[in-house]
Amino acid sequence: MSACSTGGAGRDETAAGIARAASLEAATSGGAGFDLQTWRRDDGRPGPLFVYVEGDGLAYLDTRTPSSDPTPADPVALRLAAADPGPAVLYIARPCQFAAGRADPRCGVRAWTTGRFADDAVASVDDALTRARLRHPERALVLVGYSGGGVIASLVAARRSDVALLVTVAAPLDVADWTRRLGVSPLDGAPLPLDRIDRLSRVRTVAFAGRQDKVVPVASVTSAVDKLGASATLIVEQDFDHRCCWARDWPRLRATALAAR
């Protein structure tokens, strides 16, 4: 894979500007698995640590053609992190996104296409979270995943015992239902959220969906919430689609998620 295209550099600059305006500090999390781009801040006030996991980004050019660089043109999860009014925020990009991920020699097209929810991707995000938790292990942990990042966040939550709340935003939690509805490429044989329902049903979950979303239809979110049972709450925003207007309204939605029972 080429080191850095002009398009990728422009997307890096967009993300850096969003992070800078929100006083988020850049770092690379390396260790188990992929090197991941992160941004974070912690102002020392009491409160939970909100961890944001980015979506699939520019994984495909169309329903069948992979891109050469999955860095998102519009990093919605980063915008959510930037809009977070709380004391502690950590943003974690997906494998091979941004300069830090793009430089990882382990990157290949599978990492952002059929293998984007594979065990190595989940383990990498889990490891980045564990390393970040060492600074303030006393903080309650809230995991937020946007779109495909919600699938990753769910699989990370199923691995851990310290997640106080899982929040998914426009995320295809019932992946099999979602790929069938959209006619998109099937994934490899890695476990998916509903394969971990015994663990995931113990985690308090709030799943946001947009009624106008054509990328992740409400039905694919509802299907998963119904299977998760009493631990999960579905909240449908009537005027929202896949991108609009999650970041704009995030302080309100964040408060709603924290108050949900």
Side-chain angles (χ1 to χ4, degrees):
M1 189 173 70
S2 61
C4 180
S5 68
T6 302
R11 284 174 264 161
D12 291 352
E13 290 170 8
T14 295
I18 294 168
R20 194 163 46 246
S23 300
L24 296 167
E25 181 181 352
T28 300
S29 180
F34 295 96
D35 293 336
L36 303 177
Q37 176 71 55
T38 67
W39 278 282
R40 74 170 298 160
R41 66 170 167 78
D42 191 325
D43 65 18
R45 290 178 291 147
L49 168 63
F50 269 70
V51 178
Y52 294 84
V53 183
E54 189 56 80
D56 294 346
L58 192 62
Y60 286 87
L61 301 177
D62 56 40
T63 57
R64 298 289 177 183
T65 309
S67 75
S68 61
D69 181 351
T71 301
D74 181 19
V76 174
L78 181 57
R79 293 189 186 277
L80 298 180
D84 190 308
V89 173
L90 171 66
Y91 167 88
I92 304 175
R94 301 277 291 285
C96 313
Q97 293 180 348
F98 302 107
R102 202 179 292 122
D104 191 321
R106 292 163 289 193
C107 279
V109 171
R110 175 188 169 276
W112 61 85
T113 55
T114 59
R116 62 189 180 276
F117 304 139
D119 285 340
D120 54 355
V122 177
S124 298
V125 173
D126 189 29
D127 181 69
L129 174 53
T130 295
R131 291 167 181 268
R133 289 280 280 159
L134 295 175
R135 296 190 189 184
H136 292 284
E138 77 284 356
R139 290 194 184 279
L141 175 60
V142 179
L143 277 182
V144 182
Y146 167 70
S147 192
V151 176
I152 294 289
S154 299
L155 291 167
V156 169
R159 286 174 170 237
R160 304 180 67 94
S161 60
D162 59 351
V163 177
L165 175 64
L166 169 67
V167 181
T168 65
V169 178
L173 296 179
D174 190 338
V175 177
D177 178 89
W178 174 67
T179 55
R180 185 169 56 251
R181 285 177 186 274
L182 268 66
V184 297
S185 301
L187 305 176
D188 65 16
L192 296 169
L194 295 184
D195 297 326
R196 296 287 185 259
I197 198 165
D198 56 329
R199 298 288 303 273
L200 199 55
S201 61
R202 302 173 199 169
V203 180
R204 188 160 68 95
T205 301
V206 174
F208 287 106
R211 181 67 69 188
Q212 310 306 318
D213 194 341
K214 301 296 190 293
V215 178
V216 178
V218 172
S220 289
V221 185
T222 303
S223 173
V225 170
D226 289 345
K227 291 169 184 173
L228 287 170
S231 66
T233 300
L234 173 67
I235 299 176
V236 179
E237 293 292 318
Q238 296 299 324
D239 297 327
F240 286 27
D241 59 24
H242 197 60
R243 294 187 179 277
C244 179
C245 303
W246 303 109
R248 184 196 69 188
D249 286 10
W250 186 244
R252 171 181 67 85
L253 298 172
R254 178 186 185 276
T256 299
L258 286 173
R261 289 291 183 270

PDB file of all heavy atoms in Angstrom, residues 2 55-56 62 73 76 79-80 88 103 111 129 136 139 141 162 168 179 208 210 221 223:
ATOM      1  N   SER A   2       0.520   2.236  -0.785  1.00  0.00           N
ATOM      2  CA  SER A   2       1.337   3.446  -0.849  1.00  0.00           C
ATOM      3  C   SER A   2       1.329   4.160   0.484  1.00  0.00           C
ATOM      4  O   SER A   2       0.390   4.087   1.255  1.00  0.00           O
ATOM      5  CB  SER A   2       0.805   4.379  -1.939  1.00  0.00           C
ATOM      6  OG  SER A   2      -0.517   4.762  -1.650  1.00  0.00           O
ATOM      7  N   GLY A  55     -15.879   5.059  12.581  1.00  0.00           N
ATOM      8  CA  GLY A  55     -16.560   4.187  11.639  1.00  0.00           C
ATOM      9  C   GLY A  55     -15.604   3.570  10.632  1.00  0.00           C
ATOM     10  O   GLY A  55     -14.382   3.704  10.723  1.00  0.00           O
ATOM     11  N   ASP A  56     -16.180   2.909   9.631  1.00  0.00           N
ATOM     12  CA  ASP A  56     -15.365   2.216   8.631  1.00  0.00           C
ATOM     13  C   ASP A  56     -14.600   3.174   7.732  1.00  0.00           C
ATOM     14  O   ASP A  56     -13.666   2.754   7.041  1.00  0.00           O
ATOM     15  CB  ASP A  56     -16.255   1.327   7.751  1.00  0.00           C
ATOM     16  CG  ASP A  56     -16.893   0.178   8.523  1.00  0.00           C
ATOM     17  OD1 ASP A  56     -16.460  -0.107   9.652  1.00  0.00           O
ATOM     18  OD2 ASP A  56     -17.836  -0.426   7.979  1.00  0.00           O
ATOM     19  N   ASP A  62     -17.537   1.976  -3.820  1.00  0.00           N
ATOM     20  CA  ASP A  62     -18.941   1.667  -4.053  1.00  0.00           C
ATOM     21  C   ASP A  62     -19.214   0.359  -3.316  1.00  0.00           C
ATOM     22  O   ASP A  62     -18.381  -0.078  -2.517  1.00  0.00           O
ATOM     23  CB  ASP A  62     -19.267   1.585  -5.556  1.00  0.00           C
ATOM     24  CG  ASP A  62     -18.388   0.587  -6.302  1.00  0.00           C
ATOM     25  OD1 ASP A  62     -18.107  -0.510  -5.753  1.00  0.00           O
ATOM     26  OD2 ASP A  62     -17.968   0.884  -7.439  1.00  0.00           O
ATOM     27  N   ALA A  73     -13.276  10.661   5.121  1.00  0.00           N
ATOM     28  CA  ALA A  73     -13.306  12.044   4.646  1.00  0.00           C
ATOM     29  C   ALA A  73     -13.975  12.939   5.678  1.00  0.00           C
ATOM     30  O   ALA A  73     -13.614  14.109   5.833  1.00  0.00           O
ATOM     31  CB  ALA A  73     -14.049  12.109   3.315  1.00  0.00           C
ATOM     32  N   VAL A  76     -16.802  11.216  11.650  1.00  0.00           N
ATOM     33  CA  VAL A  76     -17.945  11.543  12.496  1.00  0.00           C
ATOM     34  C   VAL A  76     -17.662  11.238  13.964  1.00  0.00           C
ATOM     35  O   VAL A  76     -18.016  12.025  14.853  1.00  0.00           O
ATOM     36  CB  VAL A  76     -19.205  10.806  12.011  1.00  0.00           C
ATOM     37  CG1 VAL A  76     -20.371  11.025  12.972  1.00  0.00           C
ATOM     38  CG2 VAL A  76     -19.577  11.276  10.608  1.00  0.00           C
ATOM     39  N   ARG A  79     -15.744  13.920  15.434  1.00  0.00           N
ATOM     40  CA  ARG A  79     -16.597  15.090  15.688  1.00  0.00           C
ATOM     41  C   ARG A  79     -17.427  14.897  16.967  1.00  0.00           C
ATOM     42  O   ARG A  79     -17.657  15.853  17.709  1.00  0.00           O
ATOM     43  CB  ARG A  79     -17.523  15.338  14.490  1.00  0.00           C
ATOM     44  CG  ARG A  79     -16.773  15.781  13.231  1.00  0.00           C
ATOM     45  CD  ARG A  79     -17.731  16.217  12.139  1.00  0.00           C
ATOM     46  NE  ARG A  79     -17.033  16.512  10.895  1.00  0.00           N
ATOM     47  CZ  ARG A  79     -16.435  17.667  10.621  1.00  0.00           C
ATOM     48  NH1 ARG A  79     -16.426  18.639  11.518  1.00  0.00           N
ATOM     49  NH2 ARG A  79     -15.836  17.848   9.463  1.00  0.00           N
ATOM     50  N   LEU A  80     -17.871  13.677  17.215  1.00  0.00           N
ATOM     51  CA  LEU A  80     -18.570  13.399  18.470  1.00  0.00           C
ATOM     52  C   LEU A  80     -17.645  13.634  19.660  1.00  0.00           C
ATOM     53  O   LEU A  80     -18.038  14.258  20.662  1.00  0.00           O
ATOM     54  CB  LEU A  80     -19.072  11.956  18.488  1.00  0.00           C
ATOM     55  CG  LEU A  80     -20.079  11.525  17.427  1.00  0.00           C
ATOM     56  CD1 LEU A  80     -20.456  10.057  17.630  1.00  0.00           C
ATOM     57  CD2 LEU A  80     -21.318  12.390  17.438  1.00  0.00           C
ATOM     58  N   ALA A  88     -13.140  13.776  30.286  1.00  0.00           N
ATOM     59  CA  ALA A  88     -12.145  12.842  29.738  1.00  0.00           C
ATOM     60  C   ALA A  88     -12.672  12.200  28.462  1.00  0.00           C
ATOM     61  O   ALA A  88     -13.760  11.614  28.453  1.00  0.00           O
ATOM     62  CB  ALA A  88     -11.801  11.764  30.763  1.00  0.00           C
ATOM     63  N   ALA A 103       0.847   3.972   7.950  1.00  0.00           N
ATOM     64  CA  ALA A 103       2.259   3.581   7.936  1.00  0.00           C
ATOM     65  C   ALA A 103       2.501   2.175   8.470  1.00  0.00           C
ATOM     66  O   ALA A 103       3.619   1.654   8.364  1.00  0.00           O
ATOM     67  CB  ALA A 103       3.062   4.582   8.774  1.00  0.00           C
ATOM     68  N   ALA A 111      -7.944  -5.530   5.847  1.00  0.00           N
ATOM     69  CA  ALA A 111      -8.076  -4.899   7.162  1.00  0.00           C
ATOM     70  C   ALA A 111      -9.224  -3.898   7.218  1.00  0.00           C
ATOM     71  O   ALA A 111      -9.732  -3.597   8.295  1.00  0.00           O
ATOM     72  CB  ALA A 111      -6.764  -4.215   7.561  1.00  0.00           C
ATOM     73  N   LEU A 129      -7.363   0.908  24.334  1.00  0.00           N
ATOM     74  CA  LEU A 129      -8.201   1.319  25.451  1.00  0.00           C
ATOM     75  C   LEU A 129      -7.570   0.933  26.788  1.00  0.00           C
ATOM     76  O   LEU A 129      -7.524   1.740  27.734  1.00  0.00           O
ATOM     77  CB  LEU A 129      -9.579   0.672  25.295  1.00  0.00           C
ATOM     78  CG  LEU A 129     -10.581   0.842  26.427  1.00  0.00           C
ATOM     79  CD1 LEU A 129     -10.765   2.296  26.784  1.00  0.00           C
ATOM     80  CD2 LEU A 129     -11.908   0.210  26.029  1.00  0.00           C
ATOM     81  N   HIS A 136      -6.005   6.764  34.378  1.00  0.00           N
ATOM     82  CA  HIS A 136      -7.075   7.045  35.347  1.00  0.00           C
ATOM     83  C   HIS A 136      -8.020   5.848  35.426  1.00  0.00           C
ATOM     84  O   HIS A 136      -9.154   5.906  34.959  1.00  0.00           O
ATOM     85  CB  HIS A 136      -7.843   8.308  34.945  1.00  0.00           C
ATOM     86  CG  HIS A 136      -7.046   9.564  35.053  1.00  0.00           C
ATOM     87  ND1 HIS A 136      -6.782  10.174  36.269  1.00  0.00           N
ATOM     88  CD2 HIS A 136      -6.445  10.326  34.106  1.00  0.00           C
ATOM     89  CE1 HIS A 136      -6.053  11.263  36.057  1.00  0.00           C
ATOM     90  NE2 HIS A 136      -5.827  11.371  34.762  1.00  0.00           N
ATOM     91  N   ARG A 139     -11.908   6.061  36.608  1.00  0.00           N
ATOM     92  CA  ARG A 139     -13.020   6.631  35.853  1.00  0.00           C
ATOM     93  C   ARG A 139     -13.940   5.522  35.325  1.00  0.00           C
ATOM     94  O   ARG A 139     -13.476   4.496  34.836  1.00  0.00           O
ATOM     95  CB  ARG A 139     -12.509   7.454  34.671  1.00  0.00           C
ATOM     96  CG  ARG A 139     -11.809   8.753  35.046  1.00  0.00           C
ATOM     97  CD  ARG A 139     -11.665   9.625  33.807  1.00  0.00           C
ATOM     98  NE  ARG A 139     -10.919  10.847  34.038  1.00  0.00           N
ATOM     99  CZ  ARG A 139     -11.423  11.950  34.582  1.00  0.00           C
ATOM    100  NH1 ARG A 139     -12.691  11.969  34.974  1.00  0.00           N
ATOM    101  NH2 ARG A 139     -10.670  13.023  34.732  1.00  0.00           N
ATOM    102  N   LEU A 141     -16.181   3.819  32.564  1.00  0.00           N
ATOM    103  CA  LEU A 141     -15.861   3.716  31.142  1.00  0.00           C
ATOM    104  C   LEU A 141     -17.139   3.653  30.310  1.00  0.00           C
ATOM    105  O   LEU A 141     -17.997   2.789  30.529  1.00  0.00           O
ATOM    106  CB  LEU A 141     -15.020   2.463  30.897  1.00  0.00           C
ATOM    107  CG  LEU A 141     -14.682   2.120  29.458  1.00  0.00           C
ATOM    108  CD1 LEU A 141     -13.881   3.245  28.800  1.00  0.00           C
ATOM    109  CD2 LEU A 141     -13.892   0.813  29.395  1.00  0.00           C
ATOM    110  N   ASP A 162     -15.253  -3.923  32.516  1.00  0.00           N
ATOM    111  CA  ASP A 162     -15.242  -2.586  33.112  1.00  0.00           C
ATOM    112  C   ASP A 162     -16.034  -1.554  32.310  1.00  0.00           C
ATOM    113  O   ASP A 162     -15.883  -0.351  32.531  1.00  0.00           O
ATOM    114  CB  ASP A 162     -13.796  -2.095  33.278  1.00  0.00           C
ATOM    115  CG  ASP A 162     -13.018  -2.034  31.969  1.00  0.00           C
ATOM    116  OD1 ASP A 162     -13.529  -2.533  30.948  1.00  0.00           O
ATOM    117  OD2 ASP A 162     -11.884  -1.497  31.972  1.00  0.00           O
ATOM    118  N   THR A 168     -24.042   3.014  20.851  1.00  0.00           N
ATOM    119  CA  THR A 168     -23.775   2.864  19.421  1.00  0.00           C
ATOM    120  C   THR A 168     -24.589   3.912  18.658  1.00  0.00           C
ATOM    121  O   THR A 168     -25.717   4.231  19.030  1.00  0.00           O
ATOM    122  CB  THR A 168     -24.113   1.452  18.910  1.00  0.00           C
ATOM    123  OG1 THR A 168     -25.522   1.215  19.010  1.00  0.00           O
ATOM    124  CG2 THR A 168     -23.346   0.399  19.705  1.00  0.00           C
ATOM    125  N   THR A 179     -25.921  -6.750   6.081  1.00  0.00           N
ATOM    126  CA  THR A 179     -25.307  -7.093   4.796  1.00  0.00           C
ATOM    127  C   THR A 179     -26.333  -7.677   3.837  1.00  0.00           C
ATOM    128  O   THR A 179     -26.278  -7.436   2.628  1.00  0.00           O
ATOM    129  CB  THR A 179     -24.138  -8.088   4.976  1.00  0.00           C
ATOM    130  OG1 THR A 179     -24.592  -9.248   5.684  1.00  0.00           O
ATOM    131  CG2 THR A 179     -22.993  -7.455   5.746  1.00  0.00           C
ATOM    132  N   PHE A 208     -28.477   4.310  19.163  1.00  0.00           N
ATOM    133  CA  PHE A 208     -29.112   5.387  18.418  1.00  0.00           C
ATOM    134  C   PHE A 208     -29.234   4.987  16.950  1.00  0.00           C
ATOM    135  O   PHE A 208     -28.307   4.401  16.373  1.00  0.00           O
ATOM    136  CB  PHE A 208     -28.291   6.672  18.504  1.00  0.00           C
ATOM    137  CG  PHE A 208     -28.348   7.364  19.836  1.00  0.00           C
ATOM    138  CD1 PHE A 208     -27.260   7.319  20.700  1.00  0.00           C
ATOM    139  CD2 PHE A 208     -29.474   8.078  20.221  1.00  0.00           C
ATOM    140  CE1 PHE A 208     -27.296   7.971  21.928  1.00  0.00           C
ATOM    141  CE2 PHE A 208     -29.525   8.726  21.443  1.00  0.00           C
ATOM    142  CZ  PHE A 208     -28.432   8.674  22.308  1.00  0.00           C
ATOM    143  N   GLY A 210     -30.992   6.553  13.033  1.00  0.00           N
ATOM    144  CA  GLY A 210     -31.630   7.651  12.319  1.00  0.00           C
ATOM    145  C   GLY A 210     -32.728   7.125  11.412  1.00  0.00           C
ATOM    146  O   GLY A 210     -32.497   6.210  10.608  1.00  0.00           O
ATOM    147  N   VAL A 221     -30.841  -2.118  13.267  1.00  0.00           N
ATOM    148  CA  VAL A 221     -30.527  -1.772  14.658  1.00  0.00           C
ATOM    149  C   VAL A 221     -31.592  -2.366  15.577  1.00  0.00           C
ATOM    150  O   VAL A 221     -31.282  -2.958  16.616  1.00  0.00           O
ATOM    151  CB  VAL A 221     -30.435  -0.246  14.845  1.00  0.00           C
ATOM    152  CG1 VAL A 221     -29.984   0.088  16.259  1.00  0.00           C
ATOM    153  CG2 VAL A 221     -29.489   0.369  13.829  1.00  0.00           C
ATOM    154  N   SER A 223     -33.418  -4.955  15.131  1.00  0.00           N
ATOM    155  CA  SER A 223     -33.252  -6.404  15.204  1.00  0.00           C
ATOM    156  C   SER A 223     -32.277  -6.788  16.314  1.00  0.00           C
ATOM    157  O   SER A 223     -32.538  -7.704  17.104  1.00  0.00           O
ATOM    158  CB  SER A 223     -32.761  -6.933  13.855  1.00  0.00           C
ATOM    159  OG  SER A 223     -32.429  -8.298  13.931  1.00  0.00           O
TER     160      SER A 223
END
